[in-house]
Amino acid sequence: MIKRILLSVCLFMSLVAHAQNGTPSIYSFYGIGEVTFRGSVENRSMGGVAVFTDSIHINLQNPASYGGLKFTSFSVAATNNKTRFQTNSVTDEAGRTNIDYLAFAIPISKKFGAGIGVMPYSSVGYRIQTLASGSNLNNRRYEGSGGLNRVFFSLAYNFSEHLSFGVDLHYNFGQIETTTLATISGVQLGTREESTSNLSGFTLNTGLMYRRKVGKKNTFFGSLTYTPSTEVNLDNSRFISTVLFTANAEVIDSETEVIVPDSKLKMPQRITFGAGFGEERHWLIGAELALTSNNGFANRFEDIQNVNYENGTKISFGGYFIPKYTAFNGYFNRVTYRAGARFERSGLVVNGKNIEDKAVTFGLGLPLRGTFSNINFGCELGKRGTKAAGLVEERYTNISISLSLNDRWFVKRKYD
């Protein structure tokens, strides 16, 4: 089984490295693309809230949670996205289906827990075209693909039954390719600019989780994560081509390499505070506040106008309800019902407007009979951006599904 999981991780790494195009968002044009949600389907269905420790499910947002695992866990997830784009004059639609994560976690002892996995960090997938109007004869087409991925290793330590600490070490890798094609109406030749950045580097995430009983049934949860600012290396290249348009293709007439210096990109610092309250395996509700410091963050190349970065803020609310976890009859009594909402000021400022992202979420956790495993479904309905200042408003629907396999492994047999 372990060999199969390691093989799956390697195959997944190859997939995200060579075929990632996980977003249709226009705003993935900037920086290193749209930063993807870095948690599980279970947490995403609760507005992104991840303050709860769980003895079964993997919590990808706070590494301290691995200290609370009682079962070996394997989880994989995918999301289908549908987005509707609107400006003051144009409407369009696009969609994507992509794998969200693959993760494996194991309790090492009563004090230690560990995890390993791979997931996308950011995605680029835009396609924009501007057509000539009036006296302007210039047409332009912008395309981008790729993104930044990460392999992570997590380790957690329990100081006591109330407090645990954890660390995520990430190795980031990926490639972003962008193309700009400029043409003039009625002219057979055009100009194409192709830029490529290969990204690599290490980042770190630390976390604390606190839990304490309040009365006989209820529990209070506290959560804190901190991601320090680090740098990612960019190996850059750029080619300028003259393109000849034929009936069926674009043929390169001539091509010149432009020397673009390699660079470093400063990744944002992030701190998250969270708290929750409820009765375990029955109901829980929580909230989180995430603060992102984008000082020093920039686009890969400095020739993009009307864009700057401010500090970002994200507020999340959510929780779950299980009618009766121990019910022998009535399957839906053991189903986990989840819901939440979030509001985010991303810190990306385009044409003077801070791009906001807001959404409502809900989902179900369906237990598999006779096991501790389950299938989780989640739905996210949201809006990003605005039609003001010549920008684009995106209304999106994300449908997610995950498989969580949980069991006791490496238990020494008492009898042969």
Side-chain angles (χ1 to χ4, degrees):
M1 178 64 75
I2 296 177
K3 291 182 179 179
R4 292 180 181 178
I5 291 174
L6 293 176
L7 178 60
S8 299
V9 172
C10 294
L11 291 174
F12 183 83
M13 289 171 61
S14 299
L15 175 65
V16 296
H18 295 99
Q20 180 179 333
N21 196 12
T23 178
S25 175
I26 300 298
Y27 296 104
S28 68
F29 179 85
Y30 304 101
I32 55 174
E34 178 191 1
V35 176
T36 59
F37 178 70
R38 286 163 283 178
S40 66
V41 172
E42 297 93 302
N43 299 137
R44 190 173 191 168
S45 301
M46 298 186 290
V49 172
V51 300
F52 316 127
T53 56
D54 193 311
S55 63
I56 296 177
H57 297 98
I58 298 175
N59 183 337
L60 299 172
Q61 294 170 255
N62 191 330
S65 64
Y66 291 96
L69 287 174
K70 300 295 187 295
F71 296 89
T72 300
S73 300
F74 173 75
S75 186
V76 61
T79 294
N80 176 261
N81 166 273
K82 299 292 184 183
T83 303
R84 183 179 180 87
F85 307 96
Q86 289 183 309
T87 68
N88 290 323
S89 57
V90 179
T91 299
D92 201 356
E93 294 182 352
R96 297 285 191 277
T97 298
N98 55 282
I99 300 175
D100 293 333
Y101 56 84
L102 187 151
F104 173 70
I106 182 172
I108 299 175
S109 66
K110 291 184 178 180
K111 289 290 186 179
F112 287 96
I116 188 173
V118 59
M119 68 173 66
Y121 175 81
S122 70
S123 295
V124 177
Y126 62 86
R127 184 183 175 93
I128 310 168
Q129 185 169 355
T130 61
L131 300 177
S133 61
S135 60
N136 179 17
L137 300 178
N138 293 322
N139 303 312
R140 288 183 178 271
R141 189 176 72 205
Y142 305 91
E143 297 182 19
S145 62
L148 184 64
N149 313 294
R150 60 178 34 167
V151 178
F152 65 88
F153 174 75
S154 307
L155 184 65
Y157 176 75
N158 294 322
F159 292 104
S160 68
E161 62 177 322
H162 304 298
L163 182 66
S164 59
F165 171 78
V167 177
D168 284 325
L169 177 63
H170 308 131
Y171 174 68
N172 303 279
F173 65 99
Q175 184 180 83
I176 298 176
E177 298 177 334
T178 59
T179 301
T180 302
L181 179 63
T183 62
I184 298 177
S185 300
V187 178
Q188 196 174 14
L189 291 175
T191 301
R192 183 168 67 191
E193 177 184 285
E194 296 178 296
S195 299
T196 301
S197 293
N198 292 297
L199 303 91
S200 63
F202 289 92
T203 53
L204 191 70
N205 181 43
T206 61
L208 284 170
M209 298 199 87
Y210 177 81
R211 57 183 294 162
R212 181 173 287 276
K213 282 285 187 181
V214 179
K216 294 183 178 180
K217 294 184 177 181
N218 298 326
T219 304
F220 170 81
F221 295 90
S223 174
L224 172 68
T225 65
Y226 174 67
T227 303
S229 177
T230 53
E231 291 184 335
V232 171
N233 300 313
L234 280 75
D235 182 4
N236 301 315
S237 63
R238 178 178 291 178
F239 290 88
I240 304 293
S241 308
T242 301
V243 180
L244 175 65
F245 296 94
T246 65
N248 300 314
E250 300 171 2
V251 180
I252 296 178
D253 182 65
S254 63
E255 184 177 70
T256 303
E257 183 176 4
V258 178
I259 302 301
V260 181
D262 296 338
S263 58
K264 294 181 180 293
L265 188 67
K266 186 177 181 181
M267 301 295 286
Q269 173 182 277
R270 181 183 175 92
I271 186 168
T272 302
F273 307 90
F277 183 82
E279 182 181 343
E280 291 187 78
R281 299 186 180 90
H282 185 33
W283 66 270
L284 283 165
I285 189 169
E288 281 189 354
L289 171 65
L291 304 174
T292 303
S293 177
N294 289 314
N295 294 332
F297 187 73
N299 295 290
R300 292 183 302 127
F301 303 110
E302 297 180 355
D303 50 3
I304 300 178
Q305 304 298 318
N306 301 321
V307 177
N308 64 286
Y309 295 88
E310 297 178 350
N311 293 335
T313 304
K314 179 180 177 182
I315 302 172
S316 303
F317 302 93
Y320 72 76
F321 174 72
I322 305 174
K324 191 175 182 181
Y325 179 77
T326 58
F328 290 101
N329 297 318
Y331 176 80
F332 289 97
N333 285 328
R334 293 183 286 113
V335 170
T336 304
Y337 301 88
R338 303 183 177 101
R342 60 176 175 79
F343 173 80
E344 181 177 5
R345 290 176 62 88
S346 67
L348 170 64
V349 181
V350 184
N351 294 344
K353 295 290 184 179
N354 196 313
I355 304 304
E356 297 180 351
D357 191 347
K358 60 191 74 173
V360 294
T361 63
F362 50 92
L364 297 173
L366 306 179
L368 301 180
R369 294 182 184 275
T371 71
F372 293 102
S373 303
N374 50 68
I375 298 175
N376 299 283
F377 294 92
C379 181
E380 186 175 42
L381 306 175
K383 187 184 80 165
R384 181 189 301 109
T386 175
K387 291 185 284 186
L391 300 178
V392 179
E393 180 183 279
E394 301 176 353
R395 293 185 178 269
Y396 58 85
T397 301
N398 293 320
I399 305 295
S400 302
I401 181 172
S402 74
L403 174 63
S404 180
L405 302 177
N406 313 290
D407 205 347
R408 293 187 184 275
W409 291 11
F410 313 114
V411 177
K412 186 177 181 180
R413 294 182 180 180
K414 293 184 179 179
Y415 305 100
D416 291 326

